[in-house]
Amino acid sequence: MTKTLLSFGHGFSARALTPLLDDSWRIIGTTRSEEKAAALLATDVEPRIWPGAEMTPALNAATHLLISAGPNEDGDPVLAELRENIMARRDQFEWVGYLSTTGVYGDHQGGWVDETTPLSPSTKRGQLRVEAESAWQALDLPLHIFRLAGIYGPGRGPFSKVRNGTARRIIKQGQVFSRIHVDDIAQVLAASIAQPNPGAIYNLCDDDPAPPEDVIAHAAELLGMPIPPAVDFETADMTPMARSFYAESKKVRNDRIKTELGVTLRHPDYKSGLAALLAAETQPH
């Protein structure tokens, strides 16, 4: 049987995985629009516009499932529509991956968390993720959960805001975030696919949790531009979504991806990650 990855919500992280799977793989990815479907097709991914498309043929072919689609008020969208379809085929799946978030741990006032830390989300988004994780865990599938820290990568980082003058250094005493370069997400997923361990949970983050204002300042220094102004969190003009990120401060441990999967991070801290992004921008395509 051809190894076939069916990827629900084939976005930023899943697209980074695609080049790490060799030519023997068939990759089917869902997206929500014709425009994004055309972009997937250009990367040798077979697009399906979903919700909408009939997914039975794709599920019949799938040996591996990757779920990147986030939950909503009605729960996990994949399970809401396709649970029975998936369960009818559960014996054919070699690996199922669910991309979650370190938001499930809640606020630890700058303290450390690992995969055994009790889940106590402090945001609605985090609570929905806990419920979605639980819903997938309740099924008899070879499930692997990946809890992702703040994702950055090509086209998704601080440089554009620094360049256009909209970057701010929001200062909240004691605030730290963990983050992860998308290339490292991809290599962890590839390593897990190569050595499945059903039931495993992995934190995906780098080795250097840091205050967000430090990352902005370093990006400005790399660009040779003035360091953006400091703004006090209490008085900052922020969207409710942006403000909610500051409701949680924690440092996330990543030992398990190294000891179990043998992963060596390509970008172990934000400084090396940002330097690599900047270098890639100037490379001829």
Side-chain angles (χ1 to χ4, degrees):
M1 191 173 185
T2 302
K3 287 197 184 299
T4 300
L5 175 69
L6 174 53
S7 171
F8 286 96
H10 197 77
F12 194 58
S13 298
R15 288 198 308 270
L17 169 65
T18 304
L20 302 188
L21 302 177
D22 65 38
D23 292 343
S24 67
W25 281 80
R26 179 185 179 195
I27 302 174
I28 305 169
T30 75
T31 186
R32 291 175 173 273
S33 72
E34 292 280 1
E35 185 182 357
K36 289 180 179 174
L40 292 187
L41 198 56
T43 61
D44 295 326
V45 174
E46 299 175 32
R48 301 287 186 275
I49 295 177
W50 183 84
E54 169 53 58
M55 295 304 294
T56 299
L59 280 166
N60 284 341
T63 56
H64 295 67
L65 297 181
L66 177 63
I67 297 90
S68 309
N72 54 39
E73 294 289 346
D74 298 320
D76 183 275
V78 179
L79 290 181
E81 187 168 323
L82 298 171
R83 180 194 303 262
E84 289 181 14
N85 248 336
I86 288 169
M87 292 309 291
R89 294 161 180 77
R90 63 184 174 209
D91 292 342
Q92 79 189 40
F93 301 130
E94 298 174 24
W95 179 93
V96 177
Y98 181 77
L99 301 192
S100 186
T101 167
T102 55
V104 296
Y105 298 117
D107 180 36
H108 287 263
Q109 298 178 325
W112 286 97
V113 301
D114 64 19
E115 291 89 348
T116 66
T117 301
L119 307 186
S120 56
S122 49
T123 66
K124 181 63 176 173
R125 281 194 324 281
Q127 181 58 42
L128 290 173
R129 283 291 184 185
V130 170
E131 291 166 8
E133 282 190 14
S134 180
W136 280 100
Q137 286 171 319
L139 306 180
D140 184 19
L141 293 168
L143 180 69
H144 306 71
I145 291 175
F146 303 90
R147 293 176 179 153
L148 278 52
I151 305 168
Y152 71 103
R156 189 185 290 194
F159 291 129
S160 60
K161 286 185 175 178
V162 172
R163 285 181 172 125
N164 67 24
T166 60
R168 298 176 297 168
R169 290 183 304 121
I170 307 291
I171 310 294
K172 184 180 180 189
Q173 192 61 39
Q175 186 75 38
V176 286
F177 290 129
S178 291
R179 47 195 62 76
I180 180 87
H181 192 292
V182 70
D183 288 352
D184 283 321
I185 296 173
Q187 70 152 331
V188 170
L189 294 177
S192 174
I193 287 169
Q195 44 191 323
N197 179 17
I201 298 172
Y202 301 103
N203 288 334
L204 273 61
C205 59
D206 67 21
D207 299 334
D208 186 24
E213 65 269 22
D214 291 4
V215 180
I216 295 288
H218 187 68
E221 288 170 357
L222 287 177
L223 292 172
M225 296 183 69
I227 291 177
V231 182
D232 182 76
F233 170 77
E234 298 302 334
T235 56
D237 181 17
M238 301 167 74
T239 65
M241 174 71 119
R243 191 166 285 277
S244 74
F245 284 112
Y246 284 78
E248 301 176 348
S249 176
K250 57 184 165 286
K251 300 171 185 168
V252 183
R253 295 197 188 280
N254 61 11
D255 305 285
R256 191 172 282 178
I257 59 172
K258 299 171 181 175
T259 56
E260 283 192 18
L261 297 176
V263 165
T264 300
L265 292 170
R266 291 179 59 183
H267 308 289
D269 54 59
Y270 71 85
K271 290 183 178 178
S272 62
L274 292 181
L277 287 184
L278 201 55
E281 281 186 12
T282 57
Q283 299 243 326
H285 291 289

